[in-house]
Amino acid sequence: PLCPQDSLGRGLRICYRYLNQTSRSFAAVIQALDGELRHAVCIFYLVLRALDTIEDDMTISLDVKVPMLHEFHSYLYQPEWKYMESKEKDRQVLEDFPTISMEFRNLSKVYRDVISDICHKMGVGMAEFLEKKVDSQHEWDEYCHYVAGLVGIGLSRLFSASELEDPIVGQDTELANSMGLFLQKTNIIRDYLEDQLEGREFWPKEVWSRYAKKLSDLAKPENIDMAVQCLNELITNALHHVPDVLTYLSRLKNQSVFNFCAIPQVMAIATLAACYNNKHVFRGVVKIRKGQAVTLMMDATNIQAVKAIMYQYVEEIYQKIPSTDPSSNKTQQIISSIRTMSLPSGPMASRHHYSPIYLSCAMLLAALSWQYLSTISKATEEYVQAGEN
């Protein structure tokens, strides 16, 4: 299902090359999308990557950066606009922005309007958070909304605009927002140490201040018990988005859209299960194994399978809840809600008693999937980095 590059014009070919260079994880699932939606999502990704690159670039002074973020959506309609001063690794998308913006202008108006609107809202939100820290849990949700929830909302509107999905998918912004928040919070939780080393702080002060004087203190060996309790509280907070994620996925009709949406979500729950009550979050990078990632990707192709995967991982967390953990009751409560929603219904209930005909179909599917998967599998352990947008 990967894009037949030869049939594309020069501009789109370059855009797909940038996509493959800047996103190890999203490139393959974007290119597996159906029809014109594929190009719209590819351009949306690159435009957001450019916006993100401006936000991340610490060499751009605030008095230059804030107006750039505010104005960014208007650059989409300025054929000449580009930015040559960036020092970031993905600066190419800014240096050759005219190629990207040209392909943006070639999209149907329904797609352009969504992308431009999301860029405008996101630029404003990013600028706001350059000037303030994430203190309250409400601000944590707000920050995640600007950098990831809006991506979920934009993608959902693109799915509906393509008519591959019902209008409700694009209209129900709450559920779409939760899709983004679940991925973003998972990244923020997992990346504690990496962000500390780079001088960035995304854990909400309202939570960590109950466990330490400074966020950096959580990395000190003598504070490990408090650090893990803080971690468990944030994971519990993130789990509250899972019911929305399941409701959202249950509405999708198109297989390519389902895979695109479901794969990052199952990677996220697997990552949270690996991080829960785990000291290593404060000592290094906790990653899911590549084999586990490939299995998840092969399995997450229908809502019942995704529910079963979610059930399995929240069960794993449940088994690890320490009786002494201050959040233990809250964690148990949200897990019991998720269990209720993801209890197998109907013929999927006995997951392990497959008929021989089903197995031979499964073997055929596995063989066909292999080429698709090997393209993706280099990427899978980074999948959850939807912080890439």
Side-chain angles (χ1 to χ4, degrees):
L2 295 183
C3 216
Q5 301 288 356
D6 329 320
S7 61
L8 297 180
R10 181 182 162 275
L12 268 179
R13 274 210 304 280
I14 293 171
C15 287
Y16 280 100
R17 193 173 77 229
Y18 291 156
L19 174 68
N20 285 291
Q21 285 165 358
T22 54
S23 163
R24 294 156 307 285
S25 41
F26 275 111
V29 271
I30 289 176
Q31 289 169 106
L33 286 168
D34 290 343
E36 50 179 25
L37 177 62
R38 177 192 303 158
H39 301 327
V41 173
C42 172
I43 302 304
F44 186 36
Y45 179 88
L46 293 176
V47 165
L48 294 182
R49 169 53 68 229
L51 183 59
D52 213 35
T53 304
I54 295 170
E55 185 208 23
D56 283 345
D57 196 329
M58 295 306 188
T59 66
I60 310 175
S61 65
L62 276 188
D63 51 342
V64 174
K65 191 187 282 193
V66 170
M68 272 177 87
L69 292 173
H70 279 165
E71 290 306 307
F72 187 82
H73 67 106
S74 69
Y75 303 152
L76 292 167
Y77 289 100
Q78 296 175 30
E80 309 296 314
W81 187 88
K82 56 181 193 252
Y83 184 75
M84 304 304 285
E85 271 77 74
S86 178
K87 305 284 180 282
E88 290 288 294
K89 67 176 186 333
D90 292 332
R91 61 181 178 271
Q92 196 164 23
V93 293
L94 289 169
E95 293 175 354
D96 191 19
F97 197 74
T99 300
I100 297 168
S101 71
M102 178 182 70
E103 291 306 329
F104 164 82
R105 292 187 301 276
N106 284 337
L107 295 172
S108 312
K109 186 174 188 297
V110 272
Y111 299 127
R112 290 200 310 267
D113 289 348
V114 171
I115 295 172
S116 163
D117 180 50
I118 296 295
C119 283
H120 191 185
K121 290 177 171 144
M122 195 183 271
V124 170
M126 284 173 162
E128 184 186 325
F129 275 92
L130 286 176
E131 325 219 28
K132 68 174 186 185
K133 280 252 182 289
V134 178
D135 285 336
S136 65
Q137 292 184 67
H138 172 75
E139 281 172 327
W140 198 37
D141 280 3
E142 196 182 18
Y143 171 76
C144 292
H145 164 72
Y146 286 129
V147 299
L150 281 171
V151 183
I153 291 167
L155 286 167
S156 302
R157 287 168 59 190
L158 293 177
F159 300 155
S160 293
S162 73
E163 298 184 3
L164 293 175
E165 296 297 345
D166 291 340
I168 184 69
V169 172
Q171 287 159 0
D172 195 334
T173 54
E174 265 316 295
L175 293 188
N177 190 55
S178 290
M179 294 284 284
L181 262 60
F182 186 57
L183 300 185
Q184 188 65 23
K185 287 180 178 182
T186 298
N187 293 338
I188 288 173
I189 290 166
R190 182 204 52 199
D191 293 340
Y192 167 84
L193 199 61
E194 186 189 321
D195 286 336
Q196 277 295 307
L197 298 173
E198 294 187 16
R200 295 195 298 249
E201 302 201 336
F202 298 114
W203 283 25
K205 185 176 183 181
E206 183 189 336
V207 176
W208 64 252
S209 62
R210 292 200 291 273
Y211 300 93
K213 284 207 170 55
K214 295 204 304 288
L215 182 55
S216 56
D217 290 345
L218 294 178
K220 296 178 177 167
E222 65 269 23
N223 298 332
I224 193 63
D225 293 343
M226 292 301 263
V228 168
Q229 290 181 3
C230 181
L231 168 72
N232 292 350
E233 181 173 343
L234 289 180
I235 290 176
T236 302
N237 171 305
L239 288 173
H240 281 84
H241 298 295
V242 172
D244 278 358
V245 167
L246 292 174
T247 305
Y248 180 98
L249 293 173
S250 69
R251 288 180 176 166
L252 300 177
K253 302 219 165 57
N254 176 276
Q255 186 66 55
S256 74
V257 171
F258 187 89
N259 297 349
F260 176 90
C261 295
I263 291 171
Q265 302 293 332
V266 297
M267 297 293 175
I269 191 78
T271 300
L272 289 182
C275 290
Y276 185 81
N277 209 46
N278 186 346
K279 299 173 176 148
H280 291 293
V281 172
F282 303 96
R283 298 172 181 169
V285 186
V286 174
K287 282 193 169 175
I288 51 180
R289 297 185 315 283
K290 184 174 291 183
Q292 185 183 2
V294 172
T295 306
L296 284 173
M297 292 176 51
M298 290 190 67
D299 286 350
T301 55
N302 65 75
I303 188 62
Q304 282 310 129
V306 169
K307 284 180 173 181
I309 292 166
M310 291 282 189
Y311 189 96
Q312 173 197 330
Y313 284 112
V314 296
E315 210 47 59
E316 193 178 301
I317 293 172
Y318 194 89
Q319 301 304 326
K320 290 195 281 194
I321 300 175
S323 53
T324 53
D325 191 89
S327 307
S328 62
N329 277 357
K330 276 188 175 166
T331 314
Q332 286 167 338
Q333 277 172 346
I334 183 58
I335 288 178
S336 97
S337 306
I338 296 168
R339 273 195 188 129
T340 308
M341 274 196 82
S342 58
L343 271 174
S345 56
M348 277 293 296
S350 55
R351 270 182 96 223
H352 300 296
H353 305 104
Y354 296 130
S355 64
I357 178 82
Y358 183 79
L359 281 174
S360 58
C361 292
M363 302 309 283
L364 178 65
L365 181 66
L368 290 173
S369 308
W370 195 248
Q371 188 195 359
Y372 175 49
L373 284 168
S374 54
T375 320
I376 302 185
S377 77
K378 299 182 200 59
T380 42
E381 69 266 55
E382 287 143 351
Y383 229 119
V384 190
Q385 290 181 330
E388 299 186 329
N389 287 322

